[in-house]
Amino acid sequence: MSDNHHNNYLTYPKGIMSWLLTLDHKRIGLMYLFGGMFFFFLAGVIALGMRLALATPEADFITNDQYNSMYTLHGAIMIFLFIIPAIPGALGNILLPLMLGARDVAFPRLNLFSFYLYSLGAVFVIYTILAGGVDTGWTFYTPYSTSSTTNVIPMTLGIFIIGFSSILTGLNFIATIHKMRIKGLTWYKLPLFVWALYGTSLVQITATPVIAITMVLLILERLLGIGIFDPALGGDPVLFQHFFWFYSHPAVYIMILPAFGIISEIIPVHSRKKIWGYKFIAYSTLSIAFIGFLVWGHHMFTSGQSVFSQIVFSFITYFVGIPTGIKIFSWMLTMYKGQVSFTPPMLYALSFLFLFTIGGLTGIFLGAVALDIHLHDTYFVVAHFHYVMQGGTIIAFLGGLHHWWPKSFGAMYNQTIANICAIGVFVSFNGTFFPQFLLGLRGMPRRYATYAQEYADIHSYSTFWSGILGLSIFIAVVNLLWSLRKNNKLDPGTNPWGALTMEWTHTTSPPHPHNFEEEPVLTHGPYDYDKVLVKPTLKRK
Amino acid sequence: MDRLTEYLFPKQVSTFAQDIDNLFYFIFYTSLALLAIVTFGMIYLAIKYRFKKNDEVRLTSSTDHNSILESSFVIIPLILVSITFVWGIKSYLNMVTVPNDAIEIKVTGQSWFWTFDYPEGGSTLNELVVPSGVPIKIVLSSKDVLHSFYIPVMRAKMDVLPNRYNVMWFDARHEGIYPIFCTEYCGTGHSQMNAQVVVMNPKQYNVWLAEAGSEDDDLPLDELGAKLYSKKACITCHTLDGSPLVGPSYLQTSQMWGQERVFDDGSSATIDDNYIRNSILEPQSQIVAGYQGVMPTYQGLLNDRELDALIAFLKTLKEDSEI
Ligand SMILES: [Cu+2]
Ligand SMILES: [Cu+2]
C-alpha cells in the first residue's frame, strides 16, 4: 500500500475544491474540527478577557455593556459553535463509519450540507460580533431579549440555522448506525462511542426543533410585536424559560454523551482491558438521553413555578444522577487487572473521572430545592457547569483528540509535552473553578461586571489560574499541530496504543480515501483484550 | 456558628438558614466520601495495574462485572439521594409556607433599583428595613424585565416578574445590615442593582416607621441632595466624575447649566431648574440625544423638597469642579 499515490484521504484527491466539495466523512470531520477549534480559541480568549476584568471588583478596562456582551458571546460560542457541533461533527464524523466498517455515512451529501449550514450559522455569529455583540446571555430570557437594543436577531438566527445542522447530522448518524454496519457487527458488538453518538443523535433530532421554534418566536416577537413572551404585549416570560430549558437541559446530554463515548474508548485501550459493564454503559446512555427530557424545571426553582412542579422536577433530577454515577464506577473498574499506561489520552481520561465526578456531585446540591434557592444564579452554578462542560466534555475531547490524532493524521505529537500539558490543564482548571464554588456559597451572583469587595481575593485567585489554564490548552494544541510538520509521518500500519476497535485494526493511519482497501471482515469485538493481542507499535516512515 | 460555616457561608440570619446549611453539609460529606472512593479507587487501580517498563504486553483478564459490587453502586447512592430529596423538599415546604402573622412588604424591581413599600404607607429605595424576630412576607413584582431578589444571609431568593406576583418570606434573628443582590440578568446596571436589608429590633423599627423621612428635614438642601443621589439610585446610571454611564454624568449636566440640551428628536431646551425637574419626573418626554430612554420616572417617589435638594446638589457640582 505504500507507493500507491492515493493511499490516504489527506493527500487524495488534491486541490482546494476537492476539500470544499468533499463528500468524504473524514474530510468533513476535519473541517468541523478546525472550525470548532477556531471558535474554541475565540471563546477562550473572550473568557480570559472576562477573567482579567473580574480580577478586581471594578470593571477596570471595560464597560458594563462590554462585559455583558463578552459573557454572552463566550457562552453562546462555546455551546452553539464548539461543544454541540464540534465533538459529534469532528470526532463523530471521522470515526463513526470507520468503527462500523462502512465506506461513509448513510447520506454523504446531507453531511456536507450540514457542515455548510453550520458555517452559515457561524457567519451570522461573526456578524453579531462585528456589529457590536449581543448582551442577553446565551439564555436569551424574555422580556429582556425582546427589548435589548443589541444584535439579538442575527445571533438567534445563527443559532436557528446551526440547529438544523445538528438535526441533520443526528439524522445521518442514526441512519448510518442502523444501516451501515458490516456483517456480524450486532448492537452489542458496537464500540460504546457509537452507542454514545446514537444517544446524542436521538436527543439532537428530538430536542433541537424546540429551540429552533423558540428562536423563531422570539424573532417574530421582536420584529412584528406579536405577544408571546413579553407581558407588555400579553405574553408570558416564564413560558420562554420552559421552552428554552426543554431544549437546553437535553442539550447538556448532547454535550456530555459524546464525552462519555470517548472515555469509554480511551480507558479500555490504554488499560488494555475489557470494558467493565458494557451493557450497563450502553443502556444507561439511552436512559440518560430519555430522562434528560423530564428535568428541565430544575433550572427554574426560583421562577415561582408551583410547589408540585418543584417536587417532581427535583425527584426526576436525581434519577439522571444514578446511571451517571454507575458509569463512573464502571470506567474506574475497567482498569482492574489491566495494563495501565500513562499516555496523554489516559491522563485526560483520569482527569475526566475526577472532574466530572465533582461536576456531577455538585449537581446533587443544586437538585435539592431548598439549597438551590440559595445557590441558583450564583457562581456555584458557574463552577458546577464548568466542571461538567469543561472538566467533562472538553477534557474528554482533548483526550479523544490525542487518542485519535495519529489515526487521523498519521503523525505522533511529543508525548512528554502532551503529558505535561494534560497535568497543567488539570491543576489550573481546578485552580480556576474550584474557588468559584466558594464564591457561590458566599452569595456572589453570576453575570456581574462589578462586584463587592469581599469577593475580590477569590476572584483574583481564579483569574491567576485561568491564565495558566489558557496557556496549557494553547501549548497542548500547538504541540498537536507541530506534529504535522514535514518528515514526521508514521508508518501507515502503526497502532500506537495497541487498540482493537476497527478504525485501528482494519485500516491504515491516516485511512484510505474509501476507508478500507477491501471489504472489512469482522474478526473480533472492540474490547476483546482478553482474547486478541495487538502490540503497540510506533514506527516512523 | 462553627468556623467552617463562617468560612463557607454568609451569616445565618433567617430562621431557616441553619437547616439549609445543614442540608448542605449532609450532601457535602456524602459527596466527599463518594469522591474519595472514586479518586483513591482510581489512583490505586491505575498504580497497581500500571504497565511497567519491563512488562510484557499480554492478554488481560476477562472480568467485567461483579453483581454484588454493582448492586451496591445502585443501592447506596439511591439511599443517599432519597434522603437528600426528602430533606430538600421538607426544608423547601418550610420556606414557602408563610406564617399568618407576617408583615407584608411590597418590593418592586425596576432597572436598576428596588423600591420597598411598607404596610403603614412609607416607602424606601434600595433599603429594606425590617424588625427582627417577626416573619416578613415579601411580595415581588417588576416594572420592566425580569429581576431576582436575593438576600444571601436569609438564604432566600425569588424571581421578580412583570406579569405576576411572587412571594417569599423570612424571619430575621440577628440585627444588622446585610446586602441584597439582583440575580437575574437585567442589562447594563445588573451588577449595581444592589440594596441593603436593615434588621432592627422591633422597638427601633416602630420608631423608624414613625420618623421615616423626617430626620432629613433639618439637613441643608445640597447635603440632602447628595444623600438622595445615592439613596435614590441616581448613582447607578449617572456618575459624578464626568464620564457617561447609562445616562449623562451629573457633573456634565451641571457644567452645561444655562446651555442648550439637544434631544433625540432634534428639538432642544435650556438646562435650568424646570428642565431638571421635568427630567426627573417625566424622563421620557425629552430624551437626551445619544442616550436611551431608560430612566424611570420618579413621580411619587420624591417630594418637592427632595426634588429641590437634588437640583441644589447638581448646582454645587459645577462650583466644586471649578475650584
Ligand atoms: Cu438541566
Ligand atoms: Cu439584575
Side-chain angles (χ1 to χ4, degrees), chain A residues 64-65 68 71 135 144 272-273 276-277 302 310 332 339-340 373-374 376-377 442 447-448 450 529-530, chain B residues 7-8 10 45 49 51 56 60-64 70 92 150 157 159 182-183 185 187-188 190-192:
Chain A
N64 284 8
D65 287 334
N68 294 339
Y71 90 72
D135 75 341
Y144 186 75
R272 194 166 302 112
K273 175 65 203 313
W276 189 282
T302 64
Q310 307 272 73
M332 179 183 104
Q339 291 188 316
V340 180
I373 305 273
H374 176 55
H376 181 77
D377 272 341
R442 291 185 181 175
R447 299 180 166 178
Y448 264 29
T450 61
Y529 296 98
D530 52 338
Chain B
Y7 181 73
L8 292 176
L45 292 171
Y49 298 107
F51 183 70
E56 200 187 331
T60 51
S61 150
S62 57
T63 346
D64 65 353
E70 269 143 35
Y92 171 67
Y150 176 35
K157 178 184 293 133
D159 287 2
C182 174
T183 47
Y185 176 70
T188 313
H190 171 55
S191 59
Q192 275 104 39

Side-chain angles (χ1 to χ4, degrees), chain A residues 448, chain B residues 112 146-148 182-187 189-191 193:
Chain A
Y448 264 29
Chain B
W112 293 280
L146 304 184
H147 303 280
S148 189
C182 174
T183 47
E184 188 66 80
Y185 176 70
C186 54
H190 171 55
S191 59
M193 192 169 159

